[in-house]
Amino acid sequence: DQQVKQNSPSLSVQEGRISILNCDYTNSMFDYFLWYKKYPAEGPTFLISISSIKDKNEDGRFTVFLNKSAKHLSLHIVPSQPGDSAVYFCAASDAGKSTFGDGTTLTVKP
Amino acid sequence: DTAVSQTPKYLVTQMGNDKSIKCEQNLGHDTMYWYKQDSKKFLKIMFSYNNKELIINETVPNRFSPKSPDKAHLNLHINSLELGDSAVYFCASSQEAERIGYTFGSGTRLTVV
């Protein structure tokens, strides 16, 4: 029972272009959605979150969009930089407990 | 000045052994967690403690026992290790988990041979 899914295992984009990472969920009880970034041999690092009552949250180059009717969220990174190359996890929270997707590996080519 | 530190970083041990992983956070957070990342890269919650009290206990074998001596520490003890326990174990802490997420440690790679 995979409640949070990231259907694209990998994504490759050119430096300066937009990266769009997608995530789908099934549980309507989730009240917050989060994105984390993970480099090899390190723990995930929190990037940005969005409440279920909002449809957009922006922080610098990172914007998260939430479509509740479609149970879908996306992370936009613009412009993409080589240092953004990492594994990105989306997570959905219910009463403080986060359920994670299985990650998308983003490669940003110089 | 590591915020969430786990030790050891790597652990190789034989089946049937008992081992512990230690976790400490210096952020003053009230809640701590253990997550397991398996070979398919899923991060699955195992346990959560709030101020030394167990609040989340997912379907985890009884061989896994968390211990929180104080709110800055959450250790994980594993008895009778099995091959399937091989994974990366992440400790995390949070204060406002929904809004600002968890702070993770760098992980402990456990290999059972």
Side-chain angles (χ1 to χ4, degrees):
Chain A
D1 178 24
Q2 195 179 335
Q3 297 187 63
V4 179
K5 284 186 184 179
Q6 294 175 254
N7 291 317
S8 298
S10 62
L11 174 68
S12 181
V13 300
Q14 207 65 38
E15 181 179 6
R17 307 295 286 267
I18 185 171
S19 296
I20 300 176
L21 298 121
N22 294 303
C23 181
D24 297 296
Y25 63 95
T26 57
N27 187 348
S28 304
M29 299 302 293
F30 290 135
D31 52 6
Y32 268 85
F33 302 88
L34 308 95
W35 285 94
Y36 290 81
K37 173 177 162 179
K38 184 183 179 304
Y39 293 119
E42 293 183 13
T45 303
F46 170 75
L47 269 177
I48 190 169
S49 66
I50 186 168
S51 163
S52 60
I53 62 171
K54 296 192 172 181
D55 54 20
K56 178 181 173 182
N57 188 26
E58 193 171 348
D59 184 2
R61 297 185 297 114
F62 302 92
T63 303
V64 56
F65 295 92
L66 176 63
N67 182 334
K68 278 190 72 176
S69 60
K71 293 193 174 70
H72 177 83
L73 65 152
S74 61
L75 175 69
H76 292 210
I77 307 173
V78 59
S80 302
Q81 299 172 355
D84 295 330
S85 298
V87 179
Y88 288 78
F89 290 95
C90 74
S93 177
D94 173 18
K97 173 184 145 184
S98 282
T99 301
F100 284 78
D102 54 346
T104 296
T105 301
L106 173 66
T107 303
V108 180
K109 297 178 179 177
Chain B
D1 218 19
T2 309
V4 179
S5 59
Q6 299 179 224
T7 53
K9 193 166 178 66
Y10 299 97
L11 185 52
V12 181
T13 187
Q14 290 189 323
M15 280 176 56
N17 283 350
D18 303 339
K19 290 293 177 187
S20 292
I21 307 171
K22 295 186 176 181
C23 179
E24 175 181 3
Q25 54 100 358
N26 62 5
L27 299 166
H29 289 169
D30 287 332
T31 310
M32 295 185 72
Y33 310 81
W34 278 108
Y35 272 80
K36 177 182 179 181
Q37 186 180 34
D38 59 23
S39 57
K40 293 183 180 176
K41 307 302 181 188
F42 282 106
L43 276 159
K44 291 183 182 174
I45 191 165
M46 301 173 69
F47 303 102
S48 174
Y49 272 72
N50 183 276
N51 238 331
K52 304 193 298 177
E53 299 279 336
L54 179 66
I55 56 170
I56 295 173
N57 184 351
E58 293 295 293
T59 309
V60 177
N62 290 339
R63 300 181 293 103
F64 291 79
S65 53
K67 293 259 185 332
S68 182
D70 55 61
K71 78 172 195 177
H73 295 84
L74 180 60
N75 304 322
L76 184 65
H77 189 76
I78 316 169
N79 289 329
S80 305
L81 278 155
E82 299 177 358
L83 292 176
D85 297 332
S86 296
V88 181
Y89 292 84
F90 287 99
C91 176
S93 71
S94 73
Q95 193 62 21
E96 294 178 65
E98 294 89 356
R99 199 173 59 81
I100 60 176
Y102 299 163
T103 303
F104 280 90
S106 58
T108 296
R109 181 174 291 278
L110 171 65
T111 304
V112 183
V113 297

